[in-house]
Amino acid sequence: MDTLDRNAHGGADVAAAAEARWGVVVAVIVLFLVGMMGYMSLHWAATPPVRTETIDPSTLHIAGEFVESRLGTVAEADGSATVRVLANQYSFTPQCIVVPAGMPVQIRGTAADVVHGFSVSGTNVNVMLVPGYITNFRTRFEKTGDHLMPCHEFCGTGHAAMWAHVKVIDRDEFMRRAREQDGKGMSCVQ
């Protein structure tokens, strides 16, 4: 019986040693991941992403590309369209956005007060709007039609009522309307 006790005790020692090795491996992995999170947090805080455009949210309404007359959609000389959108609690300006079907579209947006965001139903558009930064998103709307554009970032008590429309129209109709606007932002709100 003495041999049986030694073998059972020896097996317990082997199991305890294996458990200790795995414990060390897991502790090293956890420490590595926590260290990596700390390093990346400090790195991103110290160096914002490249090509980030900043803007002063307190002067949006006074000058620059987000003044009211420039909001909406304009046709560009290169055959694309640029949409400028401004988010405020609890509305988007413009409330209804016109975009052309089959043309490249660049969406440029910002927020005047708190973080907002929007997605356009049935498309790949999903954008965050952060005060102090200009968001850029490139897309193409292939088919004409109407889409909803709700705010998807909680922005306060009126958040549930914050939404807009995107109206995708024929390219020729868009170009005709753009010529009539003479460089001012176009929307479908009359």
Side-chain angles (χ1 to χ4, degrees):
M1 285 233 202
D2 195 24
T3 306
L4 188 59
D5 286 338
R6 272 185 280 162
N7 286 340
H9 187 62
D13 290 341
V14 169
E19 292 274 340
R21 284 192 301 270
W22 275 112
V24 169
V25 168
V26 168
V28 167
I29 291 171
V30 168
L31 288 174
F32 173 75
L33 292 174
V34 169
M36 190 170 57
M37 261 186 357
Y39 170 77
M40 291 307 295
S41 297
L42 291 173
H43 174 73
W44 280 104
T47 57
V50 179
R51 297 183 310 247
T52 299
E53 292 181 72
T54 59
I55 192 166
D56 184 356
S58 65
T59 61
L60 289 173
H61 63 288
I62 298 171
E65 70 177 292
F66 291 98
V67 295
E68 189 171 356
S69 64
R70 298 209 53 201
L71 295 174
T73 310
V74 295
E76 300 293 346
D78 65 359
S80 67
T82 300
V83 178
R84 288 182 179 82
V85 179
L86 178 62
N88 286 299
Q89 288 180 315
Y90 301 101
S91 67
F92 291 108
T93 306
Q95 183 64 36
C96 185
I97 299 168
V98 176
V99 293
M103 285 175 60
V105 175
Q106 179 181 18
I107 299 171
R108 291 178 57 81
T110 191
D113 45 22
V114 298
V115 174
H116 297 279
F118 65 83
S119 58
V120 178
S121 65
T123 70
N124 68 336
V125 178
N126 188 348
V127 177
M128 295 291 298
L129 303 175
V130 180
Y133 295 93
I134 298 173
T135 299
N136 286 293
F137 189 87
R138 294 182 190 278
T139 190
R140 181 184 298 257
F141 297 89
E142 295 301 333
K143 295 187 280 187
T144 60
D146 293 324
H147 302 275
L148 290 178
M149 188 179 100
C151 179
H152 62 56
E153 283 296 315
F154 182 76
C155 53
T157 56
H159 167 72
M162 186 173 174
W163 53 273
H165 291 280
V166 174
K167 185 174 188 76
V168 183
I169 62 173
D170 179 68
R171 179 185 190 133
D172 295 333
E173 173 68 12
F174 175 80
M175 294 308 289
R176 184 189 65 73
R177 288 187 189 183
R179 282 189 296 276
E180 292 173 0
Q181 291 297 318
D182 193 31
K184 292 184 179 175
M186 175 182 12
S187 79
C188 46
V189 174
Q190 301 300 325

